[in-house]
Amino acid sequence: MANGQWYPPEWPDRIRALASGELTPATPRRAATVMLLRDGQDGQGGQDGREGHGTGNGAKGAPEVHMLRRRASMAFAGGAYAYPGGGVDPRDDDHLVRWAGPTRAWWAARLGVEDEAAAQAIVCAAVRETYEEAGVLLAGPTPETVVGDTTGDDWEADREALVARDLSFADFLDRRGLILRSDLLAAWARWITPEFEPKRYDTFFFVAALPEGQRTRNASTEADRTVWIRPADAAARYDEGELLMMPPTIATLRALSGYGTPSEALAGASAQDMTPVLAQARLEGGELVLSWPGHGEFTKRIASGGGR
């Protein structure tokens, strides 16, 4: 049975145009996405991927990851499952935010970016987008604490202002007297959208645990469903063709499947390779071959005349 790899029908033509020099690659925009984990709750959510809201309490099983399904009407990856995330806001590096955890210099080295400002912007994007799309905020009034329930009307007004870009994340933290908890995040992977795509992103994948007392919800206008699901179960449903995903999503799910708890995954993140993964396209014996280095399962061979 075919798997659930998202594969746009226009890719072959765009690959040919790139190979012939007719297509100039777009500059990728930096982005961040967060694989939010909680301790699995035996008999709930993880087995069938049902929608759920969690506080991290209950009987523990294999860890679950929070995923959202992009609306079918979306031009890019409509119907595909992904994690909360989005692009870096240019204002995320315009002044220092209140910060706890590893230094910005440490993050710049770990992420492989040019300076501390770039590192701050990427980490801010990860925390901000998780709040905007899942209602979960990795920040607290002190370097050792995290906010509790963020579902009140005043929180929602601030969240909507962030989404509309009427409020910068730094100003939001200042107004609330909050400190960004970078120590609650761990960098996991970096994938760059193929050069033949019209919209490109240089996306940093992070892992984090759901803070005690907070609840996830579908706060994204781009998603029509959210689920808590065990990574291994999500990967199996992708293999069966039931869940649609892009290569970075299924690759990170498979990597997460080997961990028994969120804390184990966070501890294991330091061993993950942050070398950017960029798809390569080449002509080979009358076929277009599309591949992602280090991820052979995603290789696609396309007849030179077109089609899948």
Side-chain angles (χ1 to χ4, degrees), residues 25 57 112 121 149 217 251 256 274-275:
N57 301 320
D149 184 16
R217 57 197 176 92
L256 284 173
M274 292 299 293
T275 302

Side-chain angles (χ1 to χ4, degrees), residues 163-220:
V163 172
R165 298 297 181 260
D166 294 332
L167 178 66
S168 75
F169 191 60
D171 288 342
F172 165 73
L173 293 175
D174 286 344
R175 276 177 36 178
R176 290 275 177 179
L178 297 175
I179 300 170
L180 183 149
R181 292 285 307 275
S182 80
D183 55 317
L184 299 181
L185 287 166
W188 192 271
R190 181 179 180 182
W191 289 65
I192 301 177
T193 308
E195 291 182 333
F196 46 82
E197 277 284 9
K199 290 185 178 181
R200 302 183 63 214
Y201 295 93
D202 181 356
T203 303
F204 295 80
F205 286 72
F206 295 85
V207 64
L210 178 68
E212 187 71 24
Q214 292 195 37
R215 299 172 63 87
T216 57
R217 57 197 176 92
N218 183 8
S220 172

Side-chain angles (χ1 to χ4, degrees), residues 136-149:
V136 170
L137 183 58
L138 303 175
T142 72
E144 297 80 26
T145 58
V146 185
V147 296
D149 184 16

Side-chain angles (χ1 to χ4, degrees), residues 67-69 79-83 225 227 243-246 249:
M67 304 188 75
L68 52 84
R69 184 176 65 189
Y81 280 78
Y83 313 112
R225 187 185 185 211
V227 298
L243 298 186
L244 189 66
M245 297 179 201
M246 292 177 283
T249 308

Side-chain angles (χ1 to χ4, degrees), residues 93-105:
D93 65 356
D94 62 2
H95 74 272
L96 295 179
V97 302
R98 303 175 71 187
W99 188 275
T103 66
R104 294 167 178 82

Side-chain angles (χ1 to χ4, degrees), residues 35-288:
M35 301 178 288
L36 191 62
L37 302 176
R38 72 175 184 186
D39 286 315
Q41 301 178 43
D42 288 338
Q44 297 182 20
Q47 291 292 344
D48 58 12
R50 292 176 296 176
E51 293 187 58
H53 303 278
T55 60
N57 301 320
K60 295 180 180 179
E64 299 167 349
V65 62
H66 181 70
M67 304 188 75
L68 52 84
R69 184 176 65 189
R70 294 173 58 83
R71 294 185 183 278
S73 59
M74 298 295 293
F76 180 79
Y81 280 78
Y83 313 112
V88 166
D89 184 336
R91 298 173 297 178
D92 286 338
D93 65 356
D94 62 2
H95 74 272
L96 295 179
V97 302
R98 303 175 71 187
W99 188 275
T103 66
R104 294 167 178 82
W106 182 94
W107 276 109
R110 175 61 178 145
L111 299 175
V113 296
E114 64 275 14
D115 55 36
E116 296 182 25
Q120 174 180 290
I122 294 163
V123 174
C124 279
V127 176
R128 174 176 45 76
E129 289 288 339
T130 303
Y131 181 52
E132 288 181 9
E133 297 199 339
V136 170
L137 183 58
L138 303 175
T142 72
E144 297 80 26
T145 58
V146 185
V147 296
D149 184 16
T150 62
T151 58
D153 290 343
D154 58 333
W155 285 102
E156 181 60 17
D158 278 351
R159 191 196 65 79
E160 291 179 351
L162 286 168
V163 172
R165 298 297 181 260
D166 294 332
L167 178 66
S168 75
F169 191 60
D171 288 342
F172 165 73
L173 293 175
D174 286 344
R175 276 177 36 178
R176 290 275 177 179
L178 297 175
I179 300 170
L180 183 149
R181 292 285 307 275
S182 80
D183 55 317
L184 299 181
L185 287 166
W188 192 271
R190 181 179 180 182
W191 289 65
I192 301 177
T193 308
E195 291 182 333
F196 46 82
E197 277 284 9
K199 290 185 178 181
R200 302 183 63 214
Y201 295 93
D202 181 356
T203 303
F204 295 80
F205 286 72
F206 295 85
V207 64
L210 178 68
E212 187 71 24
Q214 292 195 37
R215 299 172 63 87
T216 57
R217 57 197 176 92
N218 183 8
S220 172
T221 59
E222 298 180 354
D224 61 11
R225 187 185 185 211
T226 62
V227 298
W228 279 104
I229 186 168
R230 294 186 179 110
D233 293 342
R237 292 173 67 176
Y238 163 90
D239 290 337
E240 294 166 358
E242 184 180 347
L243 298 186
L244 189 66
M245 297 179 201
M246 292 177 283
T249 308
I250 183 60
T252 49
L253 280 173
R254 295 204 197 284
L256 284 173
S257 298
Y259 295 91
T261 66
S263 60
E264 288 179 7
L266 281 162
S270 61
Q272 297 297 316
D273 186 2
M274 292 299 293
T275 302
V277 179
L278 174 64
Q280 298 176 348
R282 66 184 187 276
L283 288 170
E284 184 179 289
E287 289 183 316
L288 289 169

